[in-house]
């Protein structure tokens, strides 16, 4: 169901013109400017009346007497929603993107730097997080007489090798039975379902007390593998870019913003909210746009944030975010994010094929 905006076609055209002009100049927009900016052929007096209506509806505000109007958060939101609903041009933003790198963390740091350079805003990129916390399978093998290796695969093909010390060598038959026991009980269950009761049942099923320590080591390896996969890193770049915009240049405000990028703790909230919105289907093509008070981070309530989600072939997902003033160039930012996400997908697909 479409939202009832209370705007007819004329008000819509005028509001879009106000927002577009303010995005370009950062200055309040007057009726004379709008009369030149649109093809409505309306007098300044008629436009002023329409602007008064838009102000009463909460889409624009007059910051000073005798000054023009600037968009409110509601006005920016209307503009962005219209932009996202319109059919996007097939030509994506051309950006100097990514060089070939061997390690994922180096690639993600490069993404943050490239985005900051191309948009001149602040950027953040998170490492991919599992969306599936279930045990996929476990393979136990004998290394030597006193050591086993357990290959534990959880979630989205996140694998961990866990070395386990044993008092004696296990026979091939014992190892085979162990693998059958482990996968019968654990395959497909959520990590959250591995509890003391389940572990005790498995130890009894093993039928020999000497196997209890081996099972305990495997359980610990599973939990460690999941925790390692869920430990999110956040890479940032271009935080100083936000100081270029006078509406964010207040000393106290700028200090709080820079501390947010340095500490990164609150950026976790932003990444979590972006991922939640993606799961619930609130975004268009994985793009989320938070304006002003919509921002999940307190120190970014005077900013706009545009995020996108990238996905590894195995299913793990990460967040890319661009933070700037409310009058950011939304079309360029959205286009750049879509281009970069497509390029990341292509890199990951090539890597996947190369590993097969």
């Amino acid at each position: 169901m479409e939202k009832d905006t209370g705007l007819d076609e004329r008000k819509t055209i005028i509001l879009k013109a106000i927002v577009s002009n303010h995005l370009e100049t950062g200055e309040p927009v007057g009726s004379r400017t709008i009369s030149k900016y649109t093809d409505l052929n309306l007098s300044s007096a008629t436009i002023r009346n329409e602007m008064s209506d838009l102000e009463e509806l909460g889409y624009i505000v007059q910051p000073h007497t005798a000054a023009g109007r600037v968009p409110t958060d509601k006005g920016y939101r209307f503009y962005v929603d219209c932009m996202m609903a319109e059919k996007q041009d097939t030509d994506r933003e051309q950006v100097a993107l990514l060089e070939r790198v061997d390690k994922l963390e180096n690639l993600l740091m490069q993404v943050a730097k490239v985005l900051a350079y191309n948009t001149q805003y602040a950027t953040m990129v998170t490492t991919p997080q599992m969306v599936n916390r279930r045990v996929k399978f476990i393979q136990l093998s004998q290394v030597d007489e006193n050591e086993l290796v357990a290959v534990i695969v959880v979630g989205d093909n996140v694998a961990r090798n866990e070395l386990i010390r044993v008092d004696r060598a296990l026979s091939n038959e014992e190892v085979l039975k162990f693998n059958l026991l482990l996968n019968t009980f654990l395959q497909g269950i959520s990590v959250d379902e591995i509890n003391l009761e389940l572990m005790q049942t498995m130890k009894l099923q093993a039928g020999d007390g000497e196997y209890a320590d081996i099972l305990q080591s495997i359980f610990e390896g599973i939990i460690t593998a999941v925790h390692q996969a869920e430990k999110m890193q956040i890479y940032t770049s271009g935080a100083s870019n936000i100081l270029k915009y006078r509406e964010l240049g207040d000393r106290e405000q700028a200090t709080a913003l820079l501390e947010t990028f340095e500490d990164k703790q609150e950026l976790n909230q932003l990444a979590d909210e972006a991922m939640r919105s993606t799961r619930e289907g609130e975004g268009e093509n994985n793009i989320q746009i938070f304006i002003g008070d919509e921002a999940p981070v307190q120190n970014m309530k005077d900013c706009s944030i545009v995020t996108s989600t990238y996905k590894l072939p195995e299913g793990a997902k990460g967040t890319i975010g661009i933070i700037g003033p409310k009058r950011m160039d939304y079309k360029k930012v959205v286009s750049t994010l879509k281009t970069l996400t497509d390029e990341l997908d292509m890199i990951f697909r090539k890597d996947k094929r190369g590993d097969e």
Side-chain angles (χ1 to χ4, degrees):
M1 182 182 294
E2 293 186 2
K3 296 179 181 178
D4 182 9
T5 62
L7 303 184
D8 56 25
E9 183 179 0
R10 189 161 73 180
K11 286 185 176 63
T12 296
I13 293 173
I14 291 173
L15 177 56
K16 286 183 177 179
I18 293 171
V19 177
S20 296
N21 191 270
H22 184 68
L23 292 179
E24 294 176 6
T25 67
E27 300 291 340
V29 183
S31 58
R32 183 172 299 179
T33 300
I34 297 302
S35 66
K36 298 174 182 177
Y37 203 85
T38 67
D39 297 326
L40 289 174
N41 296 320
L42 299 175
S43 67
S44 293
T46 300
I47 293 175
R48 281 196 296 272
N49 289 334
E50 296 286 11
M51 291 172 75
S52 294
D53 291 343
L54 288 170
E55 189 170 3
E56 287 183 10
L57 291 168
Y59 290 99
I60 57 177
V61 66
Q62 189 173 28
H64 307 290
T65 305
R69 268 74 164 188
V70 298
T72 62
D73 287 2
K74 184 179 179 180
Y76 281 119
R77 170 52 60 193
F78 178 83
Y79 176 86
V80 166
D81 287 347
C82 288
M83 181 195 77
M84 296 299 288
E86 292 170 358
K87 184 177 181 181
Q88 299 296 313
D89 294 334
T90 55
D91 293 334
R92 296 284 181 86
E93 183 69 22
Q94 296 299 308
V95 290
L97 285 179
L98 308 174
E99 299 175 1
R100 176 68 181 170
V101 294
D102 294 328
K103 292 186 177 180
L104 178 61
E105 55 265 33
N106 292 338
L107 175 64
L108 297 181
M109 284 188 279
Q110 190 184 122
V111 169
K113 290 178 181 178
V114 166
L115 275 179
Y117 175 80
N118 279 284
T119 64
Q120 290 300 295
Y121 301 128
T123 62
M124 59 164 280
V125 182
T126 74
T127 50
Q129 303 299 291
M130 287 193 308
V131 294
N132 178 2
R133 291 168 50 88
R134 295 186 177 278
V135 177
K136 199 161 188 179
F137 70 88
I138 299 172
Q139 179 66 45
L140 196 67
S141 303
Q142 187 97 35
V143 178
D144 56 38
E145 289 188 356
N146 298 110
E147 202 167 49
L148 299 171
V149 62
V151 179
I152 304 162
V153 181
V154 293
D156 307 297
N157 287 343
V158 176
R160 175 179 172 81
N161 296 336
E162 188 72 16
L163 289 175
I164 302 169
R165 299 288 299 176
V166 292
D167 293 332
R168 67 171 179 85
L170 297 177
S171 67
N172 290 336
E173 185 179 354
E174 286 176 309
V175 172
L176 183 62
K177 288 181 178 179
F178 234 125
N179 281 321
L180 180 61
L181 174 69
L182 290 168
N183 287 288
T184 298
F185 275 86
L186 299 181
Q187 193 174 57
I189 76 167
S190 169
V191 173
D192 298 327
E193 296 171 332
I194 300 176
N195 51 35
L196 290 174
E197 183 180 354
L198 177 62
M199 289 188 281
Q200 187 61 35
T201 301
M202 289 184 65
K203 288 175 183 178
L204 290 173
Q205 187 72 27
D208 196 327
E210 70 177 285
Y211 296 143
D213 290 342
I214 298 175
L215 282 171
Q216 186 63 39
S217 297
I218 293 171
F219 294 143
E220 292 172 358
I222 293 171
I223 301 303
T224 302
V226 172
H227 286 172
Q228 284 189 344
E230 290 184 334
K231 188 176 181 181
M232 182 167 64
Q233 296 291 329
I234 300 178
Y235 306 108
T236 62
S237 186
S240 60
N241 285 340
I242 58 180
L243 302 180
K244 300 175 183 178
Y245 303 95
R246 58 181 177 271
E247 60 264 49
L248 301 176
D250 173 83
R251 184 173 181 178
E252 184 176 343
Q253 181 185 38
T255 299
L257 272 171
L258 292 176
E259 287 177 350
T260 298
F261 279 94
E262 184 175 344
D263 180 55
K264 297 185 181 178
Q265 185 61 41
E266 286 187 293
L267 295 182
N268 280 286
Q269 301 175 25
L270 173 56
D272 290 343
E273 179 62 21
M275 196 68 71
R276 183 197 65 79
S277 296
T278 299
R279 286 196 302 269
E280 294 180 0
E282 296 174 8
E284 177 69 22
N285 297 321
N286 283 335
I287 300 290
Q288 322 292 323
I289 301 177
F290 305 93
I291 300 173
D293 286 336
E294 297 171 355
V297 178
Q298 182 60 41
N299 290 335
M300 295 181 180
K301 296 296 186 182
D302 292 316
C303 301
S304 280
I305 306 165
V306 184
T307 68
S308 181
T309 299
Y310 70 89
K311 183 177 180 180
L312 300 186
E314 295 83 5
K317 295 181 179 180
T319 299
I320 306 170
I322 298 176
I323 300 95
K326 294 177 187 176
R327 61 181 180 93
M328 70 162 53
D329 188 339
Y330 292 100
K331 289 183 178 179
K332 178 179 180 178
V333 167
V334 169
S335 178
T336 300
L337 269 180
K338 288 181 177 179
T339 302
L340 187 138
T341 303
D342 286 348
E343 183 159 347
L344 277 177
D345 288 344
M346 183 173 63
I347 290 173
F348 294 142
R349 286 197 301 270
K350 284 183 178 178
D351 287 348
K352 179 68 173 176
R353 287 196 297 267
D355 291 339
E356 293 176 349

